[in-house]
Amino acid sequence: MNLDDAFKRCLAGLHEAALDDGARHRAATLIAEACGSKGHALAVGERTTGEGIHIDFMDCVAGSDPRPDIGRKYIQIYNDQDIGMRRFRKLPTGQMTHVRSLYTAKERRTSPTFNEMWRPAHADNGLVVCLDDRDRWRATWALGSPVDDDWDSAKVRLFEALIPHTRQFVRVRQSLAEADALGAGLAGLLDNGRIGVVQIDRRGQVVAVNAPALAILRRGDGLIDRDGALDAWLPADRSRLRRLVGRALPVAASDAPPSSGSMTVQRASGRSRLGVHVTPVGDPAADFGGRRVAGLVLVVDPAHRPRIDAARVEKTLGLTRSEARLAALLTEGLRVREIAAAAGWRENYVRWLVRQLGASGQVDVARQVLAVDALPQR
């Protein structure tokens, strides 16, 4: 498999994994093998004050095997003391570097992280890049040490070429996570009421929309339906949106693989700009002329969040006032920093309350909160 074919296969794997949890491991393994690496890791977390990062998700693959233990070990033991990571955080977003270059010669002999973590995990000669999205979230993407001991320049270029596409993969996954829509699939996304969904065919024509997207299109508030195709209300946004959609759809006469992308769209109402994420869907060669869904447009409205009555949650679930307010705000989709600002709490206190719920408890509480909110008022 030449590197051009490898790039196309890796890109298709990322697009599939963005919408299908079951495809994530396959995509990670494919990328590691194509780049000649012994492993693959992706860590995503919420920004904190200073140089720190609160890691919410870490996906690790060693060879062809998932290794969640590697991620847990790093988070629990080494994350707060890793001098190399503190240096890494000062590098510009998108700049690839070698893990070894983050430590001095002395530190490579004495650093617990380098010797107890990276060497046993076959990552001490790995490649790493920051994929941060300004002040929303932080992400780190890394490949393990090369299978052949030394990095082949062509395979390094493949890794570099995939950097913007992996960053876009994280953007899409984050937007789906905030809408509680991870793993919902194409059909399930249409039932989601917290994120706008527009399905388009290979000609760019709208195939289906869900309720939030339909409301936006009917109002013409930022996005409109122009002769069956998705378009922007403002001329300044129109050409960019058309290019974004065009790049996501397969073109028979082109060898370029479909690619995903994001932008914001100005709204006629003057409210917060809409976030728009466009991503390809499925195999572009399997259309046979039908109106199969070839692209997915996710529309994020920052102002569209369900409002939960914390007092009802407190009374019905028997929580303390603080716990009920936290549960309500978590269910509304707010992040730790936003909860702290809304409630007037310190972020450390919010994290403490979250830990009181427990990892699985957060999901259970959110379901209970939504059930309480659906109860008729007395």
Side-chain angles (χ1 to χ4, degrees), residues 233-351:
W233 163 76
L234 194 69
D237 293 329
R238 199 165 293 158
S239 59
R240 189 179 175 195
L241 178 62
R242 290 175 180 176
R243 287 196 303 270
L244 203 63
V245 170
R247 287 198 298 266
L249 301 177
V251 180
S254 173
D255 290 330
S259 62
S260 57
S262 299
M263 65 179 290
T264 60
V265 173
Q266 182 67 49
R267 305 171 74 172
S269 63
R271 299 166 66 190
S272 301
R273 295 175 70 95
L274 295 172
V276 177
H277 306 288
V278 185
T279 187
V281 174
D283 181 1
D287 195 30
F288 298 107
R291 291 205 70 199
R292 186 186 62 82
V293 177
L296 189 70
V297 182
L298 303 176
V299 185
V300 181
D301 182 354
H304 181 69
R305 284 192 174 115
R307 291 292 180 257
I308 306 296
D309 186 345
R312 292 186 75 199
V313 172
E314 177 186 352
K315 180 179 179 179
T316 307
L317 298 184
L319 301 176
T320 67
R321 181 171 298 180
S322 294
E323 289 170 342
R325 190 169 189 191
L326 171 72
L329 293 173
L330 280 173
T331 305
E332 288 176 12
L334 271 67
R335 299 187 294 268
V336 168
R337 183 178 61 255
E338 295 168 326
I339 291 173
W345 296 332
R346 292 183 180 274
E347 289 185 22
N348 285 340
Y349 178 64
V350 176
R351 297 192 195 286

Side-chain angles (χ1 to χ4, degrees), residues 100-117:
R100 286 181 178 175
S101 69
L102 299 173
Y103 303 86
T104 65
K106 180 180 179 181
E107 287 166 349
R108 289 197 292 271
R109 295 192 303 271
T110 61
S111 165
T113 304
F114 192 83
N115 290 281
E116 298 170 11
M117 183 72 222

